[in-house]
Amino acid sequence: MTQDELKALVGQAALQYVVPGELVGVGTGSTVNHFIDALATMKHRIKGAVSSSHASTLRLQAHGIHVFEAAEVKRLPVYVDGADEIDGRGFMVKGGGAALTREKIVADLAERFVCIADASKRVEVLGAFALPVEVITMAAHQLERRFTALGGTATLRRRADGAPVLTDNGHPLLDVQGLRIADPLAMEAEINQWPGVVTVGLFARHRASLCLLGTPEGVQTLVF
Ligand code: 5RP
């Protein structure tokens, strides 16, 4: 099976966790796009969705799924999202699609985080994928130095034309290579203290409750 077929498999499998009559939190990325397409098949059985990005909102709306603002919502039974990496405890690196801040906000509303990922995302130790960090522009150089002191190398994420990538919130991103994240809770807490950090793409406090992992043998359910 191709990686995209594995993503489609888990996108479909996540429907079993959507609670009929309720709202569902929706993440961002190519795996989530498959989930959104699958969700369209049960759109009349849900109240609507809370989206974590402009891109997901457009896709949900194209399917006729009503999108609520996160600010209107007090709780979500479930949030479904992908990951760039997930370890054996449900800790994740996210933000490859630049949606990390809104993803964390929507995940914070949810009782359960269902991670959907193809098998390549499952790692023993987080950090091989460059850690995304959304930052305030004036702090970017100081934050680069802080990441160097932590043993990493931070690079401003750029588009193909050389301009900085900006998030839906209008902020740039640093991608930090070379970190070995053995203690995700401690590192997330540390980086969160640094002035100018909007969101670090470590989802430790907001780790997955379970992961649907797409493997050539089928969907594995990992419960954390
Ligand atoms: C976006 C994310 C995505 O969940 C992550 O990048 C995985 O994306 P994909 O499903 O395309 O592999 O965190 O900010």
Side-chain angles (χ1 to χ4, degrees):
M1 282 174 105
T2 66
Q3 190 181 24
D4 193 55
E5 285 167 340
L6 295 177
K7 290 180 180 195
L9 198 66
V10 292
Q12 180 72 35
L15 289 187
Q16 65 190 292
Y17 295 97
V18 175
V19 181
E22 294 272 3
L23 291 167
V24 56
V26 176
T28 298
S30 55
T31 316
V32 166
N33 283 345
H34 286 294
F35 170 65
I36 294 173
D37 295 346
L39 189 63
T41 64
M42 61 175 291
K43 67 179 178 186
H44 298 300
R45 292 196 283 134
I46 57 169
K47 210 171 171 191
V50 176
S51 167
S52 63
S53 65
H54 186 54
S56 289
T57 296
L58 290 179
R59 198 174 187 100
L60 286 158
Q61 288 173 336
H63 281 302
I65 297 170
H66 186 75
V67 178
F68 290 77
E69 292 296 328
E72 299 177 75
V73 172
K74 286 204 182 92
R75 65 167 273 284
L76 294 167
V78 67
Y79 175 66
V80 179
D81 199 357
D84 297 303
E85 288 185 334
I86 181 161
D87 74 7
R89 294 168 292 174
F91 297 133
M92 295 170 286
V93 165
K94 292 183 44 56
L100 62 169
T101 297
R102 294 182 184 210
E103 289 174 342
K104 222 177 242 191
I105 290 168
V106 183
D108 192 52
L109 293 169
E111 282 159 27
R112 201 177 207 194
F113 189 135
V114 174
C115 175
I116 50 175
D118 66 88
S120 71
K121 308 294 183 66
R122 174 70 175 86
V123 298
E124 286 311 308
V125 181
L126 301 175
F129 188 92
L131 177 67
V133 188
E134 182 168 347
V135 303
I136 300 292
T137 300
M138 70 179 283
H141 291 311
Q142 170 66 354
L143 289 169
E144 283 171 17
R145 288 187 286 272
R146 282 192 178 272
F147 280 114
T148 302
L150 215 58
T153 306
T155 313
L156 191 70
R157 192 182 299 182
R158 293 187 185 277
R159 305 189 318 205
D161 65 3
V165 170
L166 297 181
T167 67
D168 284 354
N169 314 305
H171 300 126
L173 294 142
L174 297 176
D175 289 309
V176 188
Q177 283 173 316
L179 297 175
R180 188 176 181 280
I181 309 173
D183 188 344
L185 280 164
M187 190 177 284
E188 183 182 42
E190 167 69 14
I191 295 170
N192 275 337
Q193 303 301 317
W194 298 348
V197 168
V198 177
T199 302
V200 57
L202 254 178
F203 282 56
R205 291 192 184 194
H206 294 85
R207 68 178 178 150
S209 319
L210 64 94
C211 177
L212 300 174
L213 199 67
T215 77
E217 292 74 42
V219 178
Q220 271 180 27
T221 305
L222 314 174
V223 180
F224 306 110

